[in-house]
Amino acid sequence: MAGVGGGNDFQWCFSQVKGAIDEDVAEADIISTVEFNFSGDLLATGDKGGRVVIFQREQESKSRPHSRGEYNVYSTFQSHEPEFDYLKSLEIEEKINKIRWLPQQNAAHFLLSTNDKTIKLWKISERDKRAEGYNLKDEDGRLRDPFRITSLRVPILKPMDLMVEASPRRIFANAHTYHINSISVNSDHETYLSADDLRINLWHLEITDRSFNIVDIKPANMEELTEVITAAEFHPHQCNVFVYSSSKGTIRLCDMRDSALCDRHSKFFEEPEDPSSRSFFSEIISSISDVKFSHSGRYMMTRDYLSVKVWDLNMESRPVETYQVHEYLRSKLCSLYENDCIFDKFECCWNGSDSAIMTGSYNNFFRMFDRNTRRDITLEASRESSKPRAILKPRKVCTGGKRKKDEINVDSLDFNKKILHTAWHPKENIIAVAATNNLYIFQDKVN
């Protein structure tokens, strides 16, 4: 079967894999977020060790006009360090929960990165010239004797090896009591939101010492707590509109023009539950782990444990599309609950034209759904198919009975190998898939 993507059928093929091959994976090396910038030329990953690694797409070479640019390491820096909250006797992990790029305004690039408590604005800039010929110091930086300075020199700029510098420009701290799960940059390019389990704050990118609380669902008595915020995102075009999802499987759309505190939503999206399919696990698997607006702003996509749903913003009663990601796991929910996998938070993403969506699964499988043809495909991120330009073969999971040659039995799936984080290039069919400590990059086959 041909691949799923934007428009015509094509096949996905392997492009690159980043990261060590070791069997013993260090906890700090596990990738925790993946994000392309607006042009798609930069790809950022964050890991559990608090590091951010940025890959840059190389320019296509004239000698190989058909080879498209590969992504190579552009900059690596330590974004967050482990901290300790002495008042609450709590360790604050350095793990990067989310990275969001800001639209590029000049030669430098800016991104927001966050751990559980602190958001930082980073500037990534290049330097390929240095000043030489200072009056008060030598070339090696030592101060010169003022009495030996007999003439005035004008410093000149000389070329040097390219240096990429990452510097923290703003640190937004002390605004969240609970763990931050989302950050989203507004379309006005001046503000952004950050969400934790019970509150959403609105920040100005220039102001670090205060933020405005725009959603607060914390009950007066914490024993009455029935749901938490799981994800939040600004609308891509309307700067006053944002959505947030909950652990109860509902999505609320809020309009900041209504009131300063958006405790009353403008729209409430919820699919009625089928009473016949209710079980002990219903509430857990209905919790939404990710919400993403389409690039057009007309639709939004939500991911729960077993499915992906596409909602039309004009219809609150039910989703317009529902895609089953791994329905074969419904019979395994008991064992998935015992090994805590049922609480895994899978993300989802749109392709550049909103015609296809992608999300992850177990056994290093990831799923793609074509919204036009309603076809879907299961692919695998593995070192076995990591030969250059190797075409990815569709994978199938067999739930019982006789297993065909290319199928894998549901009992053979490795639940420790999971694709939680994926990203799709905003303009081309290039995808980035995080599999534990490895970053796989795939692209469509070019003849």
Side-chain angles (χ1 to χ4, degrees):
M1 172 184 165
V4 174
N8 300 328
D9 282 342
F10 59 85
Q11 293 172 308
W12 287 97
C13 68
F14 173 82
S15 176
Q16 292 171 272
V17 60
K18 309 285 186 186
I21 314 173
D22 304 340
E23 286 296 312
D24 299 330
V25 177
E27 181 80 6
D29 294 337
I30 296 174
I31 297 171
S32 54
T33 184
V34 183
E35 189 80 7
F36 279 104
N37 75 340
F38 285 83
S39 68
D41 289 336
L42 296 179
L43 172 62
T45 66
D47 64 25
K48 288 191 172 182
R51 293 177 299 255
V52 171
V53 181
I54 300 173
F55 300 93
Q56 184 184 45
R57 196 176 182 191
E58 299 296 327
Q59 298 301 314
E60 294 179 21
S61 62
K62 290 176 184 172
S63 57
R64 293 161 59 207
H66 295 296
S67 75
R68 283 174 301 169
E70 293 190 334
Y71 285 87
N72 292 318
V73 174
Y74 179 62
S75 176
T76 303
F77 57 93
Q78 189 72 32
S79 172
H80 288 71
E81 301 278 359
E83 294 175 58
F84 193 80
D85 186 332
Y86 292 97
L87 290 175
K88 295 180 181 161
S89 293
L90 281 176
E91 280 187 50
I92 301 167
E93 284 189 300
E94 65 272 39
K95 174 190 161 209
I96 308 293
N97 291 341
K98 285 285 184 288
I99 290 172
R100 289 291 178 264
W101 291 93
L102 272 62
Q104 191 174 359
Q105 310 282 4
N106 51 36
H109 298 275
F110 289 86
L111 63 81
L112 289 167
S113 65
T114 185
N115 66 351
D116 286 340
K117 297 288 182 187
T118 305
I119 305 154
K120 295 185 182 182
L121 174 68
W122 290 89
K123 178 184 180 182
I124 295 95
S125 53
E126 294 183 356
R127 212 170 64 190
D128 60 357
K129 292 184 177 65
R130 64 167 183 214
E132 278 188 11
Y134 288 108
N135 289 287
L136 298 178
K137 48 184 186 181
D138 290 323
E139 304 308 334
D140 55 7
R142 286 183 302 185
L143 288 174
R144 295 173 67 193
D145 183 350
F147 296 106
R148 292 189 179 173
I149 300 171
T150 55
S151 60
L152 188 67
R153 293 192 292 187
V154 177
I156 55 170
L157 290 175
K158 288 203 172 172
M160 59 177 257
D161 291 341
L162 179 68
M163 260 178 65
V164 180
E165 294 177 316
S167 51
R169 304 307 298 225
R170 307 268 186 280
I171 295 176
F172 307 90
N174 306 322
H176 284 279
T177 310
Y178 308 97
H179 291 177
I180 298 170
N181 56 46
S182 304
I183 48 175
S184 177
V185 181
N186 199 346
S187 58
D188 64 10
H189 304 167
E190 287 189 346
T191 55
Y192 74 92
L193 65 76
S194 58
D196 65 24
D197 296 337
L198 297 178
R199 297 190 182 102
I200 300 176
N201 293 334
L202 179 70
W203 300 85
H204 193 286
L205 284 162
E206 297 291 327
I207 301 168
T208 59
D209 58 355
R210 65 182 179 273
S211 63
F212 296 97
N213 180 226
I214 52 175
V215 172
D216 188 345
I217 65 165
K218 184 174 186 276
N221 178 5
M222 281 295 272
E223 288 177 6
E224 295 167 10
L225 182 68
T226 57
E227 64 179 331
V228 294
I229 297 166
T230 55
E233 188 175 61
F234 265 122
H235 190 279
H237 310 302
Q238 297 168 5
C239 62
N240 50 287
V241 172
F242 68 93
V243 294
Y244 67 92
S245 60
S246 90
S247 56
K248 276 193 167 176
T250 61
I251 308 104
R252 291 171 174 84
L253 182 140
C254 302
D255 190 333
M256 292 192 291
R257 294 173 300 186
D258 283 349
S259 64
L261 190 64
C262 300
D263 283 352
R264 288 200 312 274
H265 48 264
S266 304
K267 293 190 177 184
F268 183 75
F269 300 84
E270 182 178 29
E271 185 172 27
E273 189 185 26
D274 178 6
S276 63
S277 65
R278 177 150 186 86
S279 73
F280 170 76
F281 304 108
S282 294
E283 274 196 27
I284 302 172
I285 63 172
S286 66
S287 176
I288 292 171
S289 54
D290 196 15
V291 59
K292 292 268 170 62
F293 277 108
S294 63
H295 295 88
S296 67
R298 169 73 187 269
Y299 301 97
M300 68 178 170
M301 166 170 57
T302 59
R303 170 74 208 258
D304 56 43
Y305 190 65
L306 293 178
S307 65
V308 172
K309 293 170 183 169
V310 176
W311 303 77
D312 187 322
L313 293 191
N314 299 325
M315 187 168 86
E316 301 164 58
S317 56
R318 64 178 187 275
V320 288
E321 299 159 32
T322 300
Y323 302 98
Q324 299 304 328
V325 178
H326 37 217
E327 185 63 19
Y328 47 80
L329 294 182
R330 196 175 284 276
S331 61
K332 303 276 176 201
L333 292 177
C334 197
S335 54
L336 290 164
Y337 177 74
E338 286 170 4
N339 64 15
D340 279 353
C341 284
I342 202 168
F343 302 107
D344 285 336
K345 292 179 170 36
F346 291 95
E347 295 174 8
C348 51
C349 61
W350 300 85
N351 72 341
S353 61
D354 299 334
S355 63
I357 55 185
M358 172 171 62
T359 191
S361 181
Y362 293 104
N363 208 66
N364 277 0
F365 288 173
F366 57 98
R367 303 270 282 138
M368 289 184 174
F369 304 94
D370 191 311
R371 297 181 61 213
N372 299 324
T373 63
R374 293 302 171 102
R375 287 202 285 187
D376 63 278
I377 191 170
T378 303
L379 300 171
E380 182 181 8
S382 83
R383 293 259 176 191
E384 275 111 64
S385 57
S386 59
K387 295 183 183 70
R389 321 299 296 165
I391 293 171
L392 298 190
K393 290 182 185 148
R395 303 302 308 260
K396 284 220 166 49
V397 177
C398 142
T399 49
K402 202 169 176 194
R403 186 172 66 86
K404 292 180 188 165
K405 186 180 148 206
D406 289 336
E407 291 183 339
I408 181 167
N409 193 295
V410 67
D411 295 319
S412 308
L413 295 175
D414 187 342
F415 292 108
N416 292 317
K417 293 180 174 176
K418 51 192 95 168
I419 306 281
L420 300 176
H421 315 287
T422 58
W424 203 313
H425 190 290
K427 295 169 185 164
E428 297 177 41
N429 283 316
I430 299 172
I431 55 172
V433 173
T436 318
N437 64 326
N438 293 135
L439 180 71
Y440 288 86
I441 298 172
F442 304 106
Q443 58 187 34
D444 56 335
K445 175 86 173 155
V446 179
N447 298 321

